[in-house]
Amino acid sequence: MTAATQAGPNATPLPYPATRVLGPRLVDGGLDIVVPSWRATEVTLCLIDNPRSPDQRERRVPLFGPDQGVWHAHIPDVHPGQHYGIRADGPWDPDAGLVFNPNKLLLDPYARAIDETPRLGPELFSHEVDDNLASRNTPRTPDQRDSSRLNAHAIVVNTTFDWGDTARPHIPWEQTFLYEAHVRNLTRQHPDLPEDLRGTYAGLAHPAVIEHLTSLGVTSVELLPIHAAMTEAALTSQGKINAWGYSTLAFFAPDPRHASAAARAAGPQAVMNEVKGMVKLLHAAGIEVILDVVYNHTCESGSLGPTVCWRGLDNLTWYAHDDETPIEITDVTGCGNSLDFRHPEVIQMTLDSLRYWANEYHIDGFRYDLAVTLARGQHGFSPDHPFLVAVKTDPVLQGLKHIAEPWDIGPDGWQTGGFPLPFAAWNDRFRDDARSFWLANPRAESHGHPGVSARDLATRLSGSADLFASQSPGRTPLASVNYIASHDGFSLTDLVTYDQKHNRENGEDNRDGHDDNRSWNHGREGPILGLESDAIVHQRRTSERNLLATLAFAAGVPMIAAGDEMGRTQRGNNNAYCLDSPVTWINWRLEPWQRDLLATTAAMFRLRSQHPALRPTQFFTGNPKDDGVPDLAWYDAAGQVVGSWQWDDSSFRTLQMLRRGPAPGDRDALLVINGRAEPASVMLAPPPPGLTWELVGDSAKPTPEETPAGPTAPEITLSPLSLRLFLSTA
């Protein structure tokens, strides 16, 4: 081994039940450490002095164990700021899935902070690789080089923080408006932020950003992963990074890449405090913080990937393997490995991580990436999986928001609607059906192909009962997280600007990213500069407003991707995960049309917030109220109730949706939709007795101010491919 070593301080074993609390804890002037590993024969704590210097040394402390699968000790005289790592020895038998190698300094899977991201090199692999990180032989030979200078070091930190009198906002689901954002991309180019705060946790909580969020009506920020992450080898070889962070290195440590330069210079404790300060300021503004968490896989890639943590501690426990060939890791995530949620240790680590972020960082909820992987048991996905039951019953987690990305790439991997309470779920059917109605179908018709009816759009607008009403008792439309665009795929503006993806900058010859985008360039590929009066540009802007209005006025919980409210573009890139550049940074210097779009978006979601008819909390029954008008009714362009045969008619693309206010005094809503490429004459559906309709929104108008106020005539003409919203008035 190349690291200079010496004997560590005298350690003592931990008593039961202290051995059941995994991870590091500062206790009585020293450190309690508990590390899980069933199959190791020896586990050593390495206290690192003079880290990252030519004189780096390790004080090695053998841990006591194995004790029911854990190794543990109390080490005296260990204080905040101490660097440390783990070494694990045991069998080397790759064919059996065992790859213990004590030459590799491992990151504690429960590390609360790290000093830096690992630097990928041959030393990080437990088996021998060449300079290009390719395996030298089969069967694999253990690598003898020490990895302590390349791998991340865990840091002992003090978790104390002054939260003052700030409290969680506890936004009810029916009032929730989600804003999906990447810490760096959101603020990197914000002109009102000091340069040193742009692209940072502190920058996200700057008053200028908070003012933007509150003026838009956002209640909950959903942050792309902020767990410490590591870039995979394929990107490193191209000089790129995993900018989105879906490659987790540490499930308990914040990513120092998003901290301010001052915090990074001050050390991991300052990074931790900057994250907490961000949460504190957002809470003070009434905004929740929801984390996108990646518990389905880790940064260690497939069987031939690096060894930075879990693989070196107990490969067979952490990762799902092929039972017949344990050397091969099962991959249902598309990322090289899958954490094995059939094992209690994996479930425990995930729950411990969730509780830690909830308790220590006051996080309000979690969005689970590829959540089907987290609920795979012996026979595939199960809505009664122990992990899902634990989240529902855990006293810390049960009161928070939980959002599933309800798919992975394994067998039966699409489970939209399949997750039980308390989980809401991203509704990809809403995304696809809204795009199809407003973009893909008109595009097809413009090329002479037949269209489709409004049936699917109507189902999504009314709450997606086909997906969420039956599979889990007690669910409501609020289980559906509706969205048009997210971090993954085209931005809203790119949806109306490009027919094809343009991912050349990703370095994969445009092979990566979705091909089923359901987008429409409206007749010309790419941006049209300096021609804001051009008919194509006008159609594009109207289509953006149609999609945003569909999102704002649909039953369910709306989510918007950061920047879509003001026309962000990624230049046609629909998979910009490896780009940290102006392609992904939101441009806050807005053109007039972008300011108009921002004002329109804010107005739409303000209407949603003000009127309960636009955010129902229960599925509709179709039953009449006391005045004889149902809680939900559909009408055609002639003002007649839609017949069952019309839903199957491909030409039926002009319709009206009447939704009643849930309580006396609430205004009723009428959404009138023209999905055809020519103007439509519409006889408005009759309002409830004693009421009239008032126009409050028109997607054909560039700004809210251009919508005429006052009572509306019973017969109107809708512009091509547009919609209008009416509210009842006495």
Side-chain angles (χ1 to χ4, degrees), residues 365-655:
F366 304 92
R367 179 268 188 189
Y368 300 86
D369 182 65
L370 300 180
V372 171
T373 303
L374 282 58
R376 285 191 177 274
Q378 296 295 334
H379 304 291
F381 173 81
S382 169
D384 299 319
H385 190 281
F387 172 71
L388 303 183
V389 174
V391 170
K392 180 177 181 177
T393 57
D394 186 275
V396 173
L397 302 177
Q398 62 182 220
L400 306 182
K401 287 186 167 73
H402 300 279
I403 303 169
E405 182 185 37
W407 50 79
D408 64 14
I409 66 170
D412 297 320
W414 186 78
Q415 292 292 335
T416 302
F419 278 78
L421 292 172
F423 288 85
W426 276 24
N427 189 345
D428 56 320
R429 289 286 299 276
F430 181 97
R431 174 199 66 196
D432 291 347
D433 290 340
R435 291 184 184 186
S436 291
F437 184 86
W438 291 114
L439 301 177
N441 292 335
R443 176 189 174 195
E445 289 184 323
S446 72
H447 290 85
H449 302 296
V452 297
S453 80
R455 174 197 292 273
D456 291 339
L457 182 71
T459 302
R460 303 302 149 226
L461 285 169
S462 56
S464 295
D466 60 326
L467 299 173
F468 294 96
S470 61
Q471 296 190 40
S472 181
R475 283 195 304 190
T476 72
L478 301 174
S480 173
V481 174
N482 301 332
Y483 66 107
I484 303 297
S486 67
H487 69 277
D488 187 9
F490 276 146
S491 70
L492 176 70
T493 292
D494 287 354
L495 278 172
V496 305
T497 308
Y498 298 93
D499 280 358
Q500 307 295 332
K501 65 187 181 184
H502 297 267
N503 295 358
R504 295 290 178 184
E505 289 187 66
N506 297 358
E508 298 183 45
D509 295 326
N510 210 38
R511 294 188 302 270
D512 63 307
H514 297 301
D515 291 312
D516 182 21
N517 294 293
R518 309 189 188 202
S519 60
W520 183 28
N521 66 20
H522 294 76
R524 194 183 308 173
E525 188 78 352
I528 302 173
L529 303 177
L531 296 172
E532 285 303 309
S533 61
D534 187 279
I536 291 178
V537 172
H538 173 75
Q539 290 175 337
R540 289 176 177 178
R541 301 288 85 83
T542 302
S543 290
E544 286 180 285
R545 293 189 291 269
N546 288 335
L547 290 165
L548 286 168
T550 300
L551 179 65
F553 304 145
V557 177
M559 183 189 80
I560 189 172
D564 279 354
E565 73 275 17
M566 47 191 180
R568 75 178 176 103
T569 177
Q570 292 184 164
R571 305 173 191 170
N573 193 316
N574 74 351
N575 189 35
Y577 76 105
C578 58
L579 301 182
D580 178 22
S581 73
V583 172
T584 55
W585 302 341
I586 293 174
N587 185 353
W588 291 82
R589 300 186 186 279
L590 306 183
E591 299 293 332
W593 73 267
Q594 293 175 297
R595 289 193 288 270
D596 290 344
L597 183 62
L598 176 58
T600 299
T601 305
M604 289 177 181
F605 284 96
R606 188 160 50 249
L607 284 169
R608 178 187 178 88
S609 174
Q610 293 170 346
H611 300 290
L614 299 176
R615 42 183 177 83
T617 60
Q618 300 294 327
F619 287 111
F620 299 104
T621 65
N623 297 325
K625 293 198 168 189
D626 293 340
D627 56 12
V629 181
D631 58 355
L632 172 69
W634 297 99
Y635 298 85
D636 60 18
Q640 301 298 311
V641 174
V642 175
S644 58
W645 62 270
Q646 288 176 285
W647 292 116
D648 297 321
D649 182 356
S650 63
S651 66
F652 179 58
R653 292 179 58 82
T654 302
L655 73 160

Side-chain angles (χ1 to χ4, degrees), residues 9 57 74 86 93 152 208 249 265 282 349 390 437 441 481 544 552 559 578 596 598 603 678 692:
R57 293 178 178 274
H74 173 79
I86 306 293
D93 186 357
L249 168 70
L282 288 168
M349 181 192 69
F437 184 86
N441 292 335
V481 174
E544 286 180 285
M559 183 189 80
C578 58
D596 290 344
L598 176 58
E678 59 269 350
T692 60

